[in-house]
Amino acid sequence: MFFKKTKLALLHAATLGAALSTPVFSQQQPVSIEVNLAKVKAPMQPIWAFFGYDEPNYTYMKDGKKLLTEIAQFSKVPVYVRAHSLLVTGDGEAALKWGSTNAYTEDAQGKPVYDWKIVDRIFDTYIERGMKPIAQIGFMPQALSSKPEPYRHHWKPGDNYNDIYLGWAYPPNDYNKWAELVFQWVKHSVARYGKKEVESWYWELWNEPNISYWKGTVDEYIKLYDYTADAVKRALPTAKIGGPEVTGPSWDKSQVFMTKFLDHVTAGKNYVTGKTGTPIDFITYHAKGAPKIVDGHVQMNMGTQLRDLDKGFEIVASYPALKKLPIIIGESDPEGCAACSEDVSPQNAYRNGTMYSSYTAASFARKYELAEARGVNLLGAVSWSFEFEDQAWFRGFRDLATNGVDKPVLNVFRMFGMMEGNRVEVKQDLAYDFKRVRDESVRKEADINGIASKSANSAAVMVWNYHDDNVPEPDATVKVNVQGLPQQKMMLYHYRIDKENSNSYEVWKAMGSPKQPTAEQIKQLEKAGQLALLTSPQWIEPKNGNTTIEMQLPRQGVSFLHFKW
């Protein structure tokens, strides 16, 4: 049902003329969200506890270590981390869209030289924090590349994105040497971290091989996968290996790649063994949205991302032998280029403020429902967002923190970190269900909705007020009716992300957007970056297990109700 414009909105639009040419859809009536804690849907799988980034050498730098520590601290389960370029040749210098470890070189006689020092430094940083790697096997070491020159790029925001795809993106000149490299890496990892630890990791081959990250053919990728899987399993038979990490399954070329790969691992002739099929323990692909500038404001496109997710689920579900395998969305984001900053890509202006956080809340909730509808096993969805060391404050990268200060989006993950036990029913008689968001995105009335969980001693409800168009709107009146609570006194904590709460960006702007904040200002920003309570915690006593919480929820705001007894 579409909401009519109010007289006030019409008058305001007439006054401003063309400046507000975008339709305004106001929520005139209070929105009621019905939560039934007694109706369990499924375990509250922590699909959010997966993060990734292009620049592996940021891992052990000052702000990288600080952010990883914070992420590990707000999760009760191990967080998985995926990084590119773990086998790239170089000196370990960090740069945008670049990283290197020098794990593999060759001597003058062409014999392999293995050096795990930088790879170990990266993985040690994870393991020390109780995190686990999604160990990405790639990219091609220079000595193994079938086109080794040119190899290193020097890309920066505003440059042609295709400039990055150089010698590291090519197939190997020797598949047996490549396989031995993989074998030695897994074997070394077991020796360093122990068999049990490495068994809990996920090993995967490459990244987005259906675009220029892979300069070979589909068949060459499949051949590389066979050699890689065989090497991983020879080093540790119980290790988990997967792929193909294609991007955009709703794109026909991506579908062709993905189905050809899945056909091969289920029924094709193995390049190494000559037998039918190849080991695969989990399936990976990517899903991205598509923001743009419309009438001077950012307009997101969540539907594009959800259609990619859904098509991938549909493809996996079409293979009976694979349908129950875990699926990891290797990158699951509002758009495709984390290192494309707002100053050169204005459509990315959503990243510093609350639009990124509300989008994240609304989209993750729909990932659960899409997977459930297709009957597939969604294990995780990697947010390809980390931090960019020593860059301008709030430059508008797709990151979780800037210069060690947390951005609003990180607080949504703090909220998810408090959701445990089982996912429970939130009635879907609201404006949007997952199918409508998938098919239409959020272009009419706002998407005001929620996701809820219950454990033995707590319950949690996350509520958002999201819209694709980032234009001002009046706050919405939202009533959250919760049924199925214990009939006893309990504590209610109400957390909020909006313009005034859990928002370092607004505090930074209020300071005058300092390019070099003082030490005192940095302390204020760090405090503002934490998840904040909207009100003081309060004791409540539900009547017959029911309670109603009424709130004013701003556009792009997220509330989190945490009941503890």
Side-chain angles (χ1 to χ4, degrees), residues 33-48 76 365 368 412-427 449-464 480-486 490 492-493 559-565:
I33 296 176
E34 304 288 336
V35 177
N36 192 334
L37 301 177
K39 292 192 175 180
V40 172
K41 295 182 73 69
M44 187 73 198
Q45 176 68 34
I47 64 171
W48 54 268
K76 290 186 177 181
Y368 287 101
V412 168
F413 294 108
R414 288 192 167 101
M415 291 175 172
F416 275 120
M418 290 187 278
M419 300 188 81
E420 53 187 334
N422 291 314
R423 188 163 50 88
V424 297
E425 180 185 82
V426 177
K427 286 189 179 176
N449 212 316
I451 184 172
S453 66
K454 184 187 178 186
S455 65
N457 301 110
S458 69
V461 185
M462 185 188 294
V463 182
W464 57 85
V480 182
N481 304 306
V482 183
Q483 304 172 39
L485 288 162
M490 64 186 63
L492 170 61
Y493 301 83
S559 261
F560 188 79
L561 305 174
H562 202 198
F563 303 87
K564 300 181 80 172
W565 57 85

Side-chain angles (χ1 to χ4, degrees), residues 109-356:
Q109 288 72 44
K111 292 183 178 179
V113 177
Y114 303 106
D115 183 352
W116 305 113
K117 181 172 59 181
I118 296 177
V119 172
D120 287 347
R121 193 176 179 189
I122 293 166
F123 282 14
D124 286 354
T125 306
Y126 302 152
I127 303 302
E128 287 163 4
R129 288 159 177 77
M131 302 171 122
K132 295 180 183 295
I134 299 176
Q136 187 181 137
I137 303 172
F139 299 115
M140 195 58 62
Q142 191 168 17
L144 283 180
S145 175
S146 54
K147 189 181 178 184
E149 295 290 349
Y151 190 78
R152 165 84 196 256
H153 70 73
H154 296 277
W155 181 90
K156 63 183 183 300
D159 290 352
N160 187 332
Y161 198 79
N162 290 317
D163 290 349
I164 71 171
Y165 304 118
L166 300 176
W168 54 265
Y170 283 83
N173 53 36
D174 188 320
Y175 282 83
N176 288 314
K177 281 187 173 181
W178 166 266
E180 185 62 20
L181 165 60
V182 174
F183 176 82
Q184 292 295 335
W185 186 12
V186 177
K187 187 177 175 183
H188 168 78
S189 298
V190 172
R192 185 174 183 84
Y193 303 107
K195 177 174 177 282
K196 184 177 179 181
E197 173 62 35
V198 180
E199 283 175 335
S200 69
W201 300 1
Y202 292 90
W203 296 86
E204 53 151 16
L205 176 63
W206 225 257
N207 177 71
E208 299 183 348
N210 60 314
I211 61 173
S212 293
Y213 275 93
W214 176 247
K215 289 292 189 179
T217 64
V218 181
D219 288 332
E220 285 173 319
Y221 174 82
I222 287 171
K223 180 179 179 180
L224 193 73
Y225 182 84
D226 284 358
Y227 275 84
T228 302
D230 181 75
V232 168
K233 295 290 188 179
R234 280 190 291 112
L236 179 61
T238 49
K240 292 176 285 209
I241 178 71
E245 289 289 2
V246 297
T247 188
S250 58
W251 176 29
D252 56 355
K253 291 184 179 179
S254 182
Q255 288 178 43
V256 168
F257 195 115
M258 190 170 178
T259 54
K260 191 170 184 179
F261 171 79
L262 297 178
D263 287 345
H264 175 80
V265 297
T266 53
K269 182 180 178 181
N270 190 292
Y271 279 92
V272 179
T273 66
K275 298 178 181 178
T276 299
T278 310
I280 186 166
D281 300 296
F282 62 99
I283 297 169
T284 58
Y285 62 91
H286 300 176
K288 306 281 188 174
K292 60 183 179 180
I293 298 294
V294 176
D295 298 325
H297 69 267
V298 176
Q299 182 186 79
M300 307 297 280
N301 196 333
M302 191 182 294
T304 297
Q305 184 185 1
L306 297 193
R307 286 190 292 276
D308 271 347
L309 285 162
D310 193 43
K311 178 55 70 172
F313 292 153
E314 180 186 12
I315 292 170
V316 174
S318 70
Y319 290 83
L322 304 177
K323 185 175 181 179
K324 295 304 179 184
L325 283 184
I327 296 172
I328 298 175
I329 311 302
E331 297 178 25
S332 190
D333 305 290
E335 35 66 41
C337 179
C340 296
S341 51
E342 178 188 340
D343 52 329
V344 296
S345 302
Q347 73 273 19
N348 292 335
Y350 75 90
R351 292 168 165 181
N352 287 326
T354 57
M355 194 174 205
Y356 193 5

Side-chain angles (χ1 to χ4, degrees), residues 344-388:
V344 296
S345 302
Q347 73 273 19
N348 292 335
Y350 75 90
R351 292 168 165 181
N352 287 326
T354 57
M355 194 174 205
Y356 193 5
S357 43
S358 62
Y359 181 106
T360 299
S363 61
F364 265 85
R366 273 48 188 258
K367 293 171 193 178
Y368 287 101
E369 295 174 316
L370 287 165
E372 194 172 62
R374 294 289 184 186
V376 294
N377 177 14
L378 177 59
L379 179 72
V382 177
S383 294
W384 200 254
S385 48
F386 185 51
E387 64 94 18
F388 291 84

